[in-house]
Amino acid sequence: MKMTVFGPIGGEVTPPASKSELHRLLIAAALCFGETTVIEGCTMSEDIAATAQVLQAAGAQVSFSQDEGTVTVAGLLPQGNASFRAPVEACCGESGSTLRFLVPILCALGLPGAFSGHGRLPQRPMTPLTSQMQRHGALFTGESLPFTVTGRLESGVYTFPGDVSSQYITGLLFALPLVEGSSEICLTSPLQSRGYVDLTLDVLRRFGVVVEEQENRFLIAGGQKYTSPKRLLAQGDWSNGAFWLTAGAMGFPVAVAGLKKESLQGDREICAILRRMGAQFTWKNGRIHPEGGSLTATEIDAGQIPDLIPILAVAAATAKGTTRIVNAGRLRIKESDRLAAMAECLTRIGAQVEEGADSLTIYGVPLLKGGEVSSYNDHRIAMAMAIAALKCQEPVIIHQPMCVAKSYPNFYEEYKRMGGNANVVHMG
């Protein structure tokens, strides 16, 4: 399938619920044994559906009401001697969060799990997590998907370098309170993508789980109990809101609703970076109003905000001057090689980009020309290129556009509702 997209756009938009938070809320609710939790303000995406399906396979009940925008989770029941049951069929789709969170959680519960996935997920690294788990009671049938994990996770000291995926840390922070004995997660260097771990710690607190944090260490008492808050509200997604905020910073009259001003989501950093580039943001009645149009180059460190880099590269493509995006090597192991993908896509539509081993150098031009690009089956590449089309003389034609369903299924509907064009031009 191909889709042709072009602007302009304008109006108010509400991004879906935070995918990062909703993964965590679903898991915490499922770990409230025998209790029911209602999560409001929810939107379903492929990644969230993957987490819900694995939790259901493990014995939780997860039901989504589209009309009410709620998810109701009936928690797992105590497993007893679960090691003798058939493995949980854990198909994670393309969701790294589903995989990396639930591998240690099922193992902590003593539930064998047969994990699988598709797309690039089987290629994404797991060894830093599995090697630590194997030192603490877990048994794996392979080093990459598909694999089965058996055994029961044990307490102890888990050691990682700080530049590993924060998803490994989150999975263990959820799992280790369930095991007997105290545990420690020790980082040998400062943690990258720190905001995602802060979000995890916040969800744990809301469900009554205590984690003590010291410098580069997390201390976790075992034998803790997850307690349901009964009803809570999922916050809007800054990662997906960033596409519309960047459109506003590029000069289009957009207002974004549903974002929490004091959110722990690391990707709220989008406003600070765009401010450095010359945009302004005001909050009115719970909505954020970006203003801009004439951006200037800056240097961007991708270490804490990898998911923002595709859309920030778009902002840089028409900003005055030379933008350097650095410390971005981990983008090569996302749903696509996002450094190579953005360099290729932006070049195809008239930008000037140099790709380094862990960097992009982008020389801003006044206006892009448009053209055909691949989404690389990566939701953030597809959405970034749809926003880039707003600054193109001719439309942008995106191959495999519907990969946006991974996180933002109605993205193109919102794009069109605000006056943009997003039309399928080829099926096959």
Side-chain angles (χ1 to χ4, degrees):
M1 176 188 288
K2 300 179 186 178
M3 181 175 284
T4 180
V5 292
F6 57 96
I9 62 170
E12 182 178 310
V13 63
T14 302
S18 166
K19 185 164 70 81
S20 296
E21 185 183 51
L22 195 48
H23 279 299
R24 290 159 171 81
L25 293 176
L26 287 175
I27 290 169
L31 294 175
C32 295
F33 296 128
E35 297 186 77
T36 297
T37 306
V38 178
I39 307 169
E40 300 176 330
C42 295
T43 44
M44 192 58 64
S45 64
E46 289 179 353
D47 278 11
I48 295 302
T51 289
Q53 288 164 7
V54 177
L55 292 173
Q56 289 184 111
Q61 296 179 33
V62 184
S63 57
F64 174 63
S65 171
Q66 184 171 351
D67 291 340
E68 297 180 5
T70 61
V71 174
T72 302
V73 183
L76 295 160
L77 296 175
Q79 298 296 325
N81 195 352
S83 60
F84 290 100
R85 62 169 282 177
V88 173
E89 291 295 331
C91 180
C92 301
E94 295 188 54
S95 174
S97 294
T98 304
L99 173 65
R100 290 161 169 174
F101 295 174
L102 288 171
V103 164
I105 289 169
L106 292 191
C107 198
L109 295 169
L111 290 172
F115 284 86
S116 60
H118 56 258
R120 277 174 56 97
L121 188 60
Q123 302 169 41
R124 296 176 70 176
M126 282 290 290
T127 304
L129 177 61
T130 58
S131 63
Q132 286 293 308
M133 288 179 60
Q134 286 180 113
R135 295 187 179 100
H136 296 87
L139 300 171
F140 289 84
T141 59
E143 295 184 357
S144 60
L145 291 180
F147 58 64
T148 297
V149 57
T150 56
R152 185 180 286 272
L153 199 65
E154 300 169 351
S155 59
V157 178
Y158 292 73
T159 303
F160 298 92
D163 62 354
V164 297
S165 171
S166 64
Q167 292 171 345
Y168 305 148
I169 310 303
T170 284
L172 289 169
L173 286 171
F174 274 115
L176 292 174
L178 300 169
V179 306
E180 295 182 3
S182 297
S183 298
E184 176 182 331
I185 300 173
C186 179
L187 302 172
T188 58
S189 59
L191 180 64
Q192 294 192 11
S193 297
R194 170 68 210 217
Y196 293 107
V197 172
D198 289 338
L199 194 60
T200 301
L201 295 172
D202 179 64
V203 169
L204 290 172
R205 283 191 292 269
R206 292 159 75 183
F207 283 81
V209 174
V210 176
V211 174
E212 181 184 349
E213 185 176 0
Q214 298 179 357
E215 185 176 3
N216 290 339
R217 292 197 303 166
F218 301 96
L219 307 179
I220 305 146
Q224 297 192 57
K225 182 178 184 295
Y226 283 76
T227 303
S228 173
K230 304 305 180 188
R231 201 170 190 95
L232 41 78
L233 177 67
Q235 59 182 280
D237 194 332
W238 276 92
S239 299
N240 283 330
F243 295 97
W244 308 118
L245 293 169
T246 301
M250 290 163 58
F252 297 91
V254 172
V256 184
L259 299 179
K260 184 179 178 182
K261 189 174 185 179
E262 302 303 326
S263 173
L264 291 174
Q265 295 175 56
D267 286 343
R268 70 181 181 132
E269 184 68 12
I270 185 69
C271 291
I273 296 170
L274 291 174
R275 280 193 189 98
R276 294 206 312 264
M277 299 179 77
Q280 298 180 6
F281 298 88
T282 56
W283 287 84
K284 299 177 183 176
N285 301 319
R287 294 160 178 79
I288 184 168
H289 297 259
E291 297 179 12
S294 181
L295 300 179
T296 56
T298 189
E299 180 163 307
I300 300 168
D301 187 329
Q304 301 294 338
I305 49 157
D307 286 345
L308 292 181
I309 296 308
I311 190 57
L312 286 171
V314 168
T318 59
K320 184 178 180 180
T322 302
T323 295
R324 284 263 298 159
I325 298 172
V326 299
N327 196 20
R330 286 193 299 139
L331 273 78
R332 295 197 183 279
I333 53 173
K334 296 288 188 177
E335 287 85 340
S336 68
D337 178 341
R338 286 181 176 163
L339 290 185
M342 286 307 299
E344 171 72 11
C345 287
L346 289 173
T347 299
R348 280 183 172 272
I349 64 171
Q352 298 179 19
V353 184
E354 291 179 1
E355 177 188 347
D358 66 348
S359 66
L360 291 177
T361 302
I362 303 171
Y363 305 91
V365 297
L367 195 63
L368 301 167
K369 66 181 184 180
E372 290 201 31
V373 299
S374 172
S375 71
Y376 292 85
N377 201 34
D378 186 328
H379 56 135
R380 299 201 190 279
I381 303 299
M383 290 187 282
M385 297 316 296
I387 301 301
L390 303 176
K391 283 286 193 177
C392 289
Q393 295 171 299
E394 301 292 336
V396 172
I397 298 173
I398 304 173
H399 295 237
Q400 295 180 288
M402 301 316 295
C403 57
V404 299
K406 190 174 194 293
S407 66
Y408 202 156
N410 67 333
F411 174 80
Y412 296 116
E413 285 77 5
E414 294 286 68
Y415 193 92
K416 290 191 286 186
R417 185 183 59 78
M418 291 192 289
N421 290 267
N423 301 306
V424 173
V425 293
H426 175 72
M427 298 287 292

